[in-house]
Amino acid sequence: MRQERSLLTGGARLVAGMDEVGRGALAGPVSVGVVVVDAATRTAPQGLTDSKLLTPAARVAMVPQLQRWGVAWAVGHAGPAEIDAHGIVAALRLAGRRALAQVRRTCGDVDVVLLDGSHDWLSRGDVDLFEATDLDPAMSPDVPEPAVRTLVKADLQCSSVAAASVLAKVERDGLLVRLARQYPAFAWDQNKGYSAPAHLEALRSHGPTPQHRRSWNLRALADDGAPASVPGAPAVTLDAALPGGMMTP
């Protein structure tokens, strides 16, 4: 909490740690977790670290503690169609802003966001958030912009960022497990939408589903003549699978 406490003693009332998961996946959403802390927030639960360094069971077991630990928490998502239409960076921005809109309902405006990495993909630039205000009224341009501080390996140095990474990872993994029931050939319950051998083989055999990021040249992974979509598979949207129906079709 050294980074967070430095910002809090420097005048910030609320500091949010933020981290993303699913950026490199072939299928499913990109998901962004956020955990808000303030000057009264105590030391994080024991064992908390970057989600990639925890076992799946340890991550799941830690979720209830993390949900109680901070002032507020949320996970925002942007789906495959949004990634295809607007690119991964814009989709990350939308997912992050959806997460901030959720915590805003609980604790108000966040003053500073601690972002893992060296690139600020959260701040609204000159590019319009592809009609994001139509998709999410809570993301009105009138909402104050939080300051953003980037830090490489923040998920190892900042408890709030590590907590955000765990919550986002667990929620996205659960979503892919549920989607795997609709598309069992792709083994998403095991690979979570990433390019594991079973996933690539299913792409070659069946072609992409509505949950795949088709702009990512998936056809290059398939044999010539593979079908464009899984025959007979229901066109389940992420709206049905995500809590709160936050995804657009």
Side-chain angles (χ1 to χ4, degrees):
M1 289 281 289
R2 283 192 298 272
Q3 294 286 341
E4 293 93 334
R5 295 199 192 287
S6 175
L7 293 167
L8 291 164
T9 57
R13 184 181 67 91
L14 294 173
V15 173
M18 183 175 284
D19 202 8
E20 54 81 15
V21 295
R23 182 195 294 242
L26 305 181
V30 63
S31 303
V32 174
V34 61
V35 173
V36 181
V37 298
D38 64 8
T41 303
R42 298 184 178 184
T43 302
Q46 186 174 6
L48 175 63
T49 187
D50 174 20
S51 63
K52 295 186 290 295
L53 301 180
L54 296 170
T55 66
R59 288 194 295 262
V60 170
M62 192 168 285
V63 164
Q65 301 174 68
L66 297 179
Q67 291 174 340
R68 294 191 299 268
W69 171 62
V71 174
W73 69 274
V75 180
H77 309 269
E82 292 170 326
I83 295 169
D84 288 344
H86 309 290
I88 187 64
V89 173
L92 279 169
R93 186 178 300 119
L94 181 57
R97 288 180 172 274
R98 284 174 172 161
L100 284 176
Q102 292 180 68
V103 297
R104 189 178 296 116
R105 300 184 189 107
T106 300
C107 63
D109 294 325
V110 169
D111 299 304
V112 184
V113 173
L114 273 169
L115 202 59
D116 184 40
S118 59
H119 174 227
D120 175 8
W121 43 258
L122 178 68
S123 296
R124 183 187 290 118
D126 296 332
V127 179
D128 178 50
L129 276 179
F130 47 90
E131 293 126 13
T133 54
D134 292 334
L135 299 175
D136 295 271
M139 296 167 56
S140 165
D142 297 331
V143 173
E145 286 282 300
V148 175
R149 301 285 185 269
T150 60
L151 180 65
V152 175
K153 301 295 183 184
D155 48 8
L156 292 173
Q157 302 180 59
C158 305
S159 294
S160 63
V161 178
S165 76
V166 171
L167 293 174
K169 175 67 173 167
V170 171
E171 184 161 315
R172 186 183 183 279
D173 282 359
L175 169 63
L176 268 295
V177 168
R178 294 192 293 276
L179 288 173
R181 298 169 191 155
Q182 302 292 333
Y183 304 98
F186 296 86
W188 290 335
D189 54 325
Q190 301 172 45
N191 60 57
K192 307 307 186 287
Y194 288 89
S195 56
H199 190 174
L200 296 178
E201 181 56 37
L203 270 172
R204 295 186 185 100
S205 300
H206 302 294
T209 73
Q211 307 305 333
H212 280 98
R213 304 172 186 181
R214 294 173 182 245
S215 59
W216 291 31
N217 199 24
L218 297 174
R219 297 298 301 173
L221 299 172
D223 295 330
D224 290 342
S229 60
V230 178
V236 175
T237 67
L238 285 166
D239 303 80
L242 280 172
M246 294 181 296
M247 193 71 63
T248 58

